[in-house]
């Protein structure tokens, strides 16, 4: 009974025992059974309890009855990443602390975790998830699947892509209904193996779902993955892909999706970098870099891309490269990003022309880490660099050990 949950919440908040609340009204046993929803009770008893607790029970009931609707609305705005609605609904829901002590508490906490993921506050997300696992080991089907989704997104955002895929595949779509997880599976498969057919399969499924649910922002995300796939094909029409990028960037501008525009510009710049068009890559990376918060994970990522294109294109002085690379490394350390702490250290060795340390660190630390988190895009990039170094230095035994990864890339 909802009245019982409300009475219990406000009784505890007022610091009253069941006996004190029931004094001159009913027994403490009856209070206990009312709070647990195990007995019938009169309207008069609830009114007397409300008067003693100084609450308007009808207002509380109205709010309580609306909680599920508000939570569903919040979830929808999070899926669509409509941040104005996300913040507005969050503020509305958090007005009443009773939600934390109601049957909706697990769903509320899971949505809080999803909210923190949108803010890239990974430690807060992890803390909530661990608390839920401890307090609510047996979640209802929807909440259980939502938990898998949140864990899957978290693993992906912290570069553990293989674990992300493993967790996301636990989701039962008939119980959950939210097929948004397709895009996170696609991203996971892309990072493990850009040429995996599963990247394409799940990107297509995600695009279809987002179009069906009129989720235009996330449809852009799915199309961005499909463009990444096309750009990795052995023979593709660069002008066609370039036009597709510009069209998608314009679409992002039309729906005021600055974050999508930034991501697409970065992806296009990365495509220029792969083609060794360092000047166009650097220009686009710089534009992208100037559009993000200097203390954010995105800034570290885009700064690394900008410096990489600048180094290989010989487009910045050595002192400027070193200064900015050390700045990036410091921010990565502050954000505790293992990936970019390693990447910036490698880049600094290159800039300083300390090639022995560069290849040694690559062999003994970097490749082991990249493989451990299944970041195979970065892993295979550096495997190829190390393999070429072994060939140049006539270290053929080590080259043979790495050759299997080169062969896998070319299958």
């Amino acid at each position: 009974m909802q009245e019982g949950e409300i009475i219990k919440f406000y009784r505890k908040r007022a610091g009253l025992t069941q006996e004190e609340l029931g004094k001159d009204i009913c027994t403490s046993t009856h209070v206990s059974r009312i709070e647990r929803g195990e007995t019938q009770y009169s309207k008069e008893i609830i009114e007397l309890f409300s008067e003693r607790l100084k609450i308007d029970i009808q207002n509380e009931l109205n709010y309580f009855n609306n909680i599920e609707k508000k939570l569903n609305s919040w979830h929808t705005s999070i899926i669509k990443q409509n941040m104005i609605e996300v913040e507005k609904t969050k503020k509305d829901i958090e007005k009443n602390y009773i939600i934390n002590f109601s049957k909706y508490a697990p769903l509320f906490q899971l949505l809080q975790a999803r909210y923190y993921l949108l803010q890239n506050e990974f430690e807060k997300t992890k803390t909530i998830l661990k608390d839920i696992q401890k307090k609510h080991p047996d979640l209802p089907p929807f909440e259980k699947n939502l938990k898998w989704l949140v864990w899957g997104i978290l693993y992906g955002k912290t570069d553990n892509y293989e674990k992300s895929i493993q967790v996301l595949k636990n989701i039962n779509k008939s119980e959950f209904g939210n097929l948004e997880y397709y895009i996170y599976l696609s991203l996971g498969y892309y990072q493990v193996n850009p040429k995996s057919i599963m990247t394409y399969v799940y990107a297509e499924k995600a695009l279809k779902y987002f179009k069906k649910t009129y989720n235009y922002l996330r449809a852009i995300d799915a199309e961005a993955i499909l463009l990444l796939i096309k750009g990795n094909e052995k023979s593709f029409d660069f002008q066609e892909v370039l036009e597709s990028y510009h069209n998608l960037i314009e679409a992002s501008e039309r729906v005021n999706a600055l974050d999508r525009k930034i991501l697409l510009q970065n992806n296009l710049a990365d495509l220029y970098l792969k083609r060794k068009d360092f000047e166009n890559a650097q220009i686009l990376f710089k534009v992208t870099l100037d559009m993000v918060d200097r203390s954010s994970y995105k800034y570290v990522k885009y700064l690394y891309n900008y410096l990489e294109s600048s180094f290989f294109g010989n487009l910045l002085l050595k002192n400027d490269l070193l200064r900015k690379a050390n700045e990036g490394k410091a921010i990565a350390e502050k954000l505790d990003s293992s990936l970019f702490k390693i990447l910036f250290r490698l880049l600094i060795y290159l800039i300083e022309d300390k090639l022995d340390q560069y290849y040694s660190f690559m062999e003994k630390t970097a490749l082991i880490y990249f493989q451990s988190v299944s970041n195979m895009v970065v892993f295979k990039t550096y495997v190829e660099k190390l393999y070429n170094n072994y060939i140049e230095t006539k270290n053929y035994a080590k080259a043979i050990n790495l050759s299997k990864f080169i062969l896998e890339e070319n299958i």
Side-chain angles (χ1 to χ4, degrees):
M1 303 259 180
Q2 292 172 347
E3 290 94 335
E5 289 186 71
I6 294 167
I7 293 299
K8 180 180 180 180
F9 170 75
Y10 282 104
R11 173 182 64 76
K12 287 189 170 184
R13 194 175 184 186
L16 298 176
T17 64
Q18 290 174 336
E19 185 177 359
E20 287 169 334
L21 178 61
K23 186 178 180 182
D24 301 326
I25 300 173
C26 65
T27 66
S28 59
T29 301
H30 197 52
V31 173
S32 177
R33 295 187 68 194
I34 289 171
E35 288 182 349
R36 296 199 303 269
E38 294 176 353
T39 187
Q40 297 294 321
Y41 46 83
S42 67
K43 181 182 178 182
E44 288 75 16
I45 285 181
I46 295 298
E47 288 175 351
L48 288 168
F49 286 164
S50 303
E51 187 178 332
R52 184 159 288 174
L53 293 169
K54 297 181 173 58
I55 63 171
D56 185 326
I57 192 64
Q58 194 55 53
N59 282 346
E60 298 298 331
L61 276 171
N62 290 341
Y63 175 82
F64 198 88
N65 289 331
N66 209 23
I67 284 178
E68 188 172 7
K69 183 179 178 182
K70 286 182 182 293
L71 288 172
N72 289 336
S73 175
W74 195 26
H75 191 197
T76 299
S77 60
I78 288 172
I79 293 169
K80 292 189 173 182
Q81 296 186 6
N82 182 340
M83 296 311 297
I84 294 174
E85 283 302 314
V86 166
E87 296 292 351
K88 179 182 174 183
T89 311
K90 176 178 179 287
K91 190 179 292 186
D92 191 28
I93 290 171
E94 290 177 343
K95 284 179 183 176
N96 199 318
Y97 291 113
I98 194 171
I99 194 170
N100 293 295
F101 303 91
S102 72
K103 65 182 179 182
Y104 298 110
L107 177 57
F108 173 58
Q109 288 178 291
L110 285 165
L111 292 178
Q112 280 185 313
R114 281 225 58 187
Y115 170 80
Y116 287 125
L117 277 178
L118 284 180
Q119 309 298 325
N120 291 322
E121 296 190 48
F122 305 139
E123 286 306 315
K124 286 185 179 180
T125 302
K126 194 181 296 184
T127 298
I128 291 173
L129 288 170
K130 288 182 176 179
D131 186 59
I132 290 170
Q133 285 187 176
K134 182 180 177 181
K135 293 180 179 176
H136 308 282
D138 298 312
L139 291 168
F142 182 85
E143 283 84 345
K144 179 181 66 178
N145 286 289
L146 180 56
K147 181 190 72 175
W148 292 131
L149 174 63
V150 178
W151 271 116
I153 299 172
L154 178 63
Y155 283 126
K157 280 180 171 279
T158 52
D159 305 315
N160 195 337
Y161 301 106
E162 200 165 79
K163 186 69 174 176
S164 175
I165 293 168
Q166 180 186 337
V167 168
L168 290 168
K169 289 178 79 173
N170 287 324
I171 294 174
N172 184 323
K173 66 179 182 181
S174 62
E175 290 178 346
F176 194 38
N178 173 21
L179 304 184
E180 172 201 17
Y181 72 97
Y182 287 152
I183 197 162
Y184 298 109
L185 275 170
S186 179
L187 285 167
Y189 278 112
Y190 179 81
Q191 293 295 341
V192 170
N193 179 5
K195 296 183 178 181
S196 168
I197 187 63
M198 301 311 293
T199 302
Y200 176 81
V201 167
Y202 281 112
E204 282 285 354
K205 285 186 174 185
L207 181 59
K208 184 178 178 181
Y209 173 67
F210 292 140
K211 284 184 174 180
K212 183 180 177 181
T213 54
Y214 305 102
N215 193 342
Y216 301 116
L217 281 182
R218 308 306 302 281
I220 290 173
D221 294 342
E223 290 190 44
I225 296 174
L226 291 170
L227 268 180
L228 282 175
I229 295 168
K230 188 172 284 189
N232 280 322
E233 292 173 356
K234 285 186 178 178
S235 58
F236 68 94
D237 187 328
F238 178 71
Q239 288 304 318
E240 181 186 329
V241 171
L242 183 62
E243 185 178 347
S244 295
Y245 266 110
H246 286 309
N247 289 339
L248 211 49
I249 288 168
E250 286 177 13
S252 301
E253 290 173 340
R254 283 197 299 273
V255 294
N256 199 28
L258 179 62
D259 53 343
R260 268 71 183 178
K261 178 181 177 180
I262 290 170
L263 175 65
L264 288 162
Q265 286 178 166
N266 179 76
N267 291 353
L268 177 55
D270 193 52
L271 189 59
Y272 278 124
L273 183 61
K274 287 175 182 175
R275 292 169 62 84
K276 302 189 185 305
D277 184 346
F278 301 117
E279 191 169 344
N280 273 321
Q282 189 219 39
I283 291 168
L284 206 46
F285 279 138
K286 182 65 169 65
V287 170
T288 304
L289 185 63
D290 290 340
M291 296 171 75
V292 296
D293 178 9
R294 292 178 65 89
S295 63
S296 68
Y297 181 86
K298 285 182 179 178
Y299 181 83
V300 173
K301 178 181 178 181
Y302 300 152
L303 177 61
Y304 176 80
N305 293 341
Y306 168 71
L307 293 178
E308 188 181 33
S309 59
S310 299
F311 174 78
F312 288 113
N314 197 25
L315 300 169
L316 278 180
L317 295 174
K318 180 177 178 178
N319 286 343
D320 290 335
L321 280 167
L322 263 181
R323 177 175 54 80
K324 289 180 180 295
N326 279 302
E327 174 197 341
K329 184 170 173 284
I331 299 172
E333 286 169 353
K334 190 173 181 180
L335 294 172
D336 195 27
S337 169
S338 299
L339 174 64
F340 281 100
K341 281 190 282 187
I342 289 172
L343 287 176
F344 272 108
R345 189 167 170 185
L346 285 166
L347 182 59
I348 289 167
Y349 283 141
L350 262 187
I351 296 167
E352 293 177 332
D353 200 27
K354 296 178 178 178
L355 296 185
D356 287 343
Q357 290 168 272
Y358 174 72
Y359 288 112
S360 175
F361 182 70
M362 190 187 300
E363 177 187 27
K364 295 175 181 177
T365 303
L367 287 180
I368 293 169
Y369 173 76
F370 300 148
Q371 191 173 32
S372 73
V373 296
S374 301
N375 192 333
M376 304 311 286
V377 173
V378 179
F379 174 74
K380 288 179 179 178
T381 297
Y382 282 92
V383 160
E384 189 171 338
K385 291 176 187 288
L386 191 57
Y387 174 84
N388 290 335
N389 175 253
Y390 287 152
I391 295 297
E392 287 173 12
T393 56
K394 297 181 170 52
N395 197 335
Y396 299 120
K398 286 188 175 182
I400 289 169
N401 287 334
L402 284 184
S403 64
K404 63 179 179 180
F405 299 112
I406 306 294
L407 290 171
E408 284 174 9
E409 176 68 13
N410 292 321
I411 289 174

